[in-house]
């Protein structure tokens, strides 16, 4: 199965895009399907678990069997009632699979939170899920694996939700490499011209442009007003964030109180980090090293902080700085037990949506079928975690949809890249390939 997934170009479709073949492990006792979508406004997983329920459940069984795991857990949020119904209808056909209904909290889709919610196990800080015998897979990833294994279909498309200030919010399956502009057109166009585009969810996505292209990890494009809190914070720079922290952090500890990793006993404490960075304290280096244990969920800055500060952005900057200086994740043990107030401190998703002022946009984005033909795609070499691919086509070559156009360097972590439409290769740069019909 590893080789098939590698050649099929299958990577995690819901997060950073870890090559799926590299997750397969003989030590796994539990495979967990992450059907929690994680961020508000994104509607991909719940619809796939309804529209492709048999493919997803069969795909899950393939993962369970390939790893000889004891069981597969289908983890779905309580509010996804249609998907739950569809899963319950078919689940009896799959002996090793069981359904786990998750509370509607944020971030239910964080791997560490998901594993605790479904199995009661705590992944030690800085470690990966297999440390506690678990492998977590995304719904679309499982569908892609199923399609490759049963139909020899390589990954050439992506399911994306387009929501916010658009005429018709939709979820679509599109060729990898089309532009955000084309996605917006599929949703009927903008409803206000001054909107800001976010690639990804409101909590962890990034500001993007109309010319950006869909990759194997694009899950949503959100169109939000410029005064939306999720937009304005992203327009600050780190200097402004530190200045604001110096003048306004009251050390109330609200950020640490709701931090999902701190609530599972990990050493991250955003209020301590803010105290150190705001005052230039260097005597306790652990405060900075603990930034490695932050999952960047954004609850501290978008939900908890009454002073409108940005602990997550500063933690991200700290992590990036440490990494670029060669500092590795410290191998220090955590408490190993969850905070006894954890259940009460979990954040209901509807409260987060209200706090972000997004309730107006939290409406269905139905799956649209038969979306037509795309004349051009740009396929980036870097689509996932690991090494970027090296092209194996040149300008002038004719390629068919699904044909191999790039491979990772020998022995490096990575997967194959395939043409997402049929046509002629018109450009090969040092970072992407363009194909035109
Ligand atoms: S919630 Fe805000 S003000 Fe309170 S400690 Fe955290 S960063 Fe400081
Ligand atoms: S972003 Fe904030 S709340 Fe989330 S894990 Fe990091 S420190 Fe904790």
């Amino acid at each position: 199965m590893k080789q098939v997934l590698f050649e099929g170009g299958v990577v995690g479709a819901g997060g950073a895009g870890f090559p799926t073949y590299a997750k397969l492990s003989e030590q796994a006792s539990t495979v967990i399907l992450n059907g929690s979508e994680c961020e508000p406004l994104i509607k991909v997983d719940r619809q796939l678990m309804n529209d492709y329920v048999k493919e997803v459940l069969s795909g899950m069984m393939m993962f369970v069997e390939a790893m000889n795991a004891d069981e597969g857990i289908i983890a779905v949020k309580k509010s996804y009632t249609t998907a739950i119904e569809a899963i319950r209808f078919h689940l009896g056909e799959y002996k090793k699979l069981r359904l786990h209904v998750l509370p509607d909290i944020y971030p239910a889709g964080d791997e560490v939170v998901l594993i605790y919610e479904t199995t009661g196990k705590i992944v030690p800080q800085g470690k990966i899920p297999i440390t506690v015998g678990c492998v977590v897979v995304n719904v679309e990833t499982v569908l892609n694996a199923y399609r490759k294994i049963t139909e020899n279909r390589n990954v050439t498309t992506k399911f994306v939700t387009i929501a916010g200030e658009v005429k018709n919010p939709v979820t679509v399956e599109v060729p990898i490499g089309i532009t955000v502009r084309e996605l917006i057109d599929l949703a009927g166009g903008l409803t206000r011209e001054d909107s800001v585009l976010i690639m990804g969810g409101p909590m962890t996505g990034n500001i993007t442009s109309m010319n950006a292209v869909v990759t194997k990890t694009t899950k949503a494009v959100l169109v939000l007003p410029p005064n939306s809190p999720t937009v304005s914070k992203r327009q600050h720079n780190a200097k402004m964030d530190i200045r604001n922290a110096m003048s306004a952090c009251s050390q109330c500890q609200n950020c640490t109180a709701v931090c999902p990793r701190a609530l599972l006993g990990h050493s991250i404490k955003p209020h301590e980090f803010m105290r150190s960075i705001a005052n230039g304290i260097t005597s306790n280096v652990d405060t900075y090293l603990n930034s490695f244990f932050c999952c960047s969920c954004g609850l501290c800055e978008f939900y908890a902080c009454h002073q409108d500060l940005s602990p997550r952005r500063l933690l991200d900057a700290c992590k990036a700085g440490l990494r670029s200086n060669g500092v590795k994740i410290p191998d220090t043990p955590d408490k190993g037990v969850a905070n006894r107030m954890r259940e009460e401190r979990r954040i209901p998703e509807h409260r987060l949506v209200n706090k972000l002022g997004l309730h107006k946009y939290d409406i269905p984005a139905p799956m649209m079928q038969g979306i037509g033909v795309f004349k051009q795609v740009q396929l980036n070499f870097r689509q996932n975690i690991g090494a970027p691919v090296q092209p194996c086509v040149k300008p002038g070559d004719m390629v068919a949809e699904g044909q191999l156009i790039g491979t990772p360097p020998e022995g490096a972590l990575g997967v194959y890249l395939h043409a997402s439409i049929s046509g002629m290769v018109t450009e090969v740069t040092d970072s992407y390939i363009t194909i035109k019909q």
Side-chain angles (χ1 to χ4, degrees):
M1 188 164 168
K2 278 192 174 190
Q3 187 64 20
V4 175
L5 298 184
F6 168 72
E7 290 177 6
V10 181
V11 300
F18 194 76
T20 307
Y21 75 87
K23 274 193 168 186
L24 299 189
S25 162
E26 282 161 15
Q27 273 93 53
S29 57
T30 309
V31 186
I32 304 169
L33 181 76
N34 189 349
S36 71
E37 213 90 71
C38 204
E39 294 203 50
L41 308 194
I42 307 177
K43 316 281 183 185
V44 172
D45 293 346
R46 70 192 82 185
Q47 300 188 78
L48 292 183
M49 286 186 293
N50 188 47
D51 297 1
Y52 297 91
V53 61
K54 289 205 77 164
E55 290 87 340
V56 171
L57 294 179
S58 301
M60 262 299 278
M61 274 311 297
M62 289 169 183
F63 277 91
V64 170
E65 280 164 6
M67 288 183 256
N68 201 20
D70 300 330
E71 65 167 353
I73 301 176
I74 313 297
V76 187
K77 277 186 186 159
K78 192 176 165 193
S79 58
Y80 298 1
T81 49
T82 317
I84 290 174
E85 229 172 86
I87 292 163
R88 284 212 167 108
F89 186 80
H90 291 284
L91 203 59
E93 299 161 36
Y94 304 91
K95 296 296 170 225
K96 278 191 167 182
L97 301 186
R98 73 173 166 91
L99 175 68
H100 183 102
V101 178
L102 295 163
D104 288 306
I105 55 164
Y106 178 81
D110 171 53
E111 284 193 339
V112 174
V113 173
L114 185 71
I115 289 168
Y116 184 73
E117 289 286 341
T118 52
T119 69
K121 293 176 181 172
I122 296 180
V123 179
Q125 63 186 14
K127 304 289 185 217
I128 56 175
I130 198 63
T131 318
V132 293
C134 294
V135 169
V136 177
V137 283
N138 164 268
V139 177
E140 190 178 346
T141 309
V142 170
L143 178 62
N144 285 337
Y146 175 87
R147 285 171 163 180
K148 176 61 186 172
I149 293 165
T150 61
E151 302 163 23
N152 196 24
R153 210 166 138 181
N154 299 318
V155 177
T156 58
T157 61
K158 188 73 192 72
F159 287 90
V160 185
T161 293
I162 305 115
E165 292 287 350
V166 288
K167 293 196 179 108
N168 307 306
V170 282
T171 301
V172 287
E173 183 179 15
V174 292
I176 293 164
I178 71 162
T179 61
V180 167
R181 188 185 309 281
E182 288 170 296
L183 288 176
I184 302 284
D185 287 346
L186 291 172
L190 301 175
T191 48
R192 53 184 287 178
E193 287 306 318
D194 61 347
S195 299
V196 176
L197 306 170
I198 305 272
M199 180 84 88
M203 301 296 280
T204 66
N206 294 310
I207 291 178
T208 191
S209 72
M210 285 287 190
N211 295 328
V213 295
V214 171
T215 70
K216 289 183 181 183
T217 57
T218 306
K219 192 116 192 214
V221 170
L222 305 181
V223 183
L224 298 175
N227 58 353
S228 162
T230 61
V231 170
S232 48
K233 282 222 168 153
R234 287 177 166 89
Q235 289 166 334
H236 293 183
N237 60 39
K239 269 192 187 149
M240 277 164 76
D241 288 336
I242 293 177
R243 227 179 20 240
N244 291 343
M246 285 165 76
S247 63
C249 179
S250 64
Q251 286 295 290
C252 67
Q253 303 193 21
N254 282 353
C255 45
T256 299
V258 300
C259 171
R261 294 296 180 94
L263 288 171
L264 285 172
H266 289 192
S267 307
I268 174 74
K269 290 193 178 66
H271 78 281
E272 283 185 358
F273 171 80
M274 290 297 270
R275 183 167 63 214
S276 293
I277 201 148
N279 296 294
I281 297 171
T282 51
S283 54
N284 184 1
V285 75
D286 284 350
T287 320
Y288 300 102
L289 290 175
N290 287 341
S291 64
F292 279 117
F293 306 134
C294 158
C295 68
S296 303
C297 72
L299 270 184
C300 47
E301 73 183 35
F302 287 123
Y303 186 85
C305 187
H306 62 107
Q307 299 283 49
D308 206 25
L309 302 178
S310 301
R312 189 269 304 265
R313 282 168 53 87
L314 289 169
L315 281 158
D316 281 352
C318 179
K319 259 185 277 186
L322 290 169
R323 281 206 181 101
S324 66
N325 281 295
V327 179
K328 298 268 184 293
I329 300 177
D331 193 10
T332 49
D334 55 56
K335 286 191 191 135
V337 287
N339 186 302
R340 62 191 167 82
M341 297 296 290
R342 179 180 178 274
E343 284 217 6
E344 292 72 20
R345 290 192 187 159
R346 294 179 306 182
I347 305 304
E349 194 170 303
H350 70 91
R351 276 190 13 218
L352 177 63
V353 168
N354 283 339
K355 174 97 185 188
L356 295 172
L358 296 176
H359 45 284
K360 165 179 172 195
Y361 307 118
D362 195 16
I363 55 176
M367 189 78 80
M368 190 205 265
Q369 306 289 351
I371 50 170
V373 176
F374 296 91
K375 298 276 182 213
Q376 176 175 327
V377 289
Q378 176 190 307
L379 292 139
N380 294 344
F381 294 163
R382 189 177 286 283
Q383 300 256 346
N384 48 268
I385 284 184
V389 298
Q390 296 167 337
C392 52
V393 288
K394 55 185 186 324
D397 287 353
M398 296 302 293
V399 290
E401 191 258 317
Q403 186 178 323
L404 183 67
I405 57 169
T407 58
E410 185 74 32
L413 182 70
V415 293
Y416 282 3
L417 180 66
H418 306 87
S420 60
I421 59 171
S422 299
M424 182 191 281
V425 175
T426 56
E427 195 183 11
V428 179
T429 71
D430 55 4
S431 60
Y432 63 83
I433 293 170
T434 304
I435 302 171
K436 285 188 185 169
Q437 272 199 338

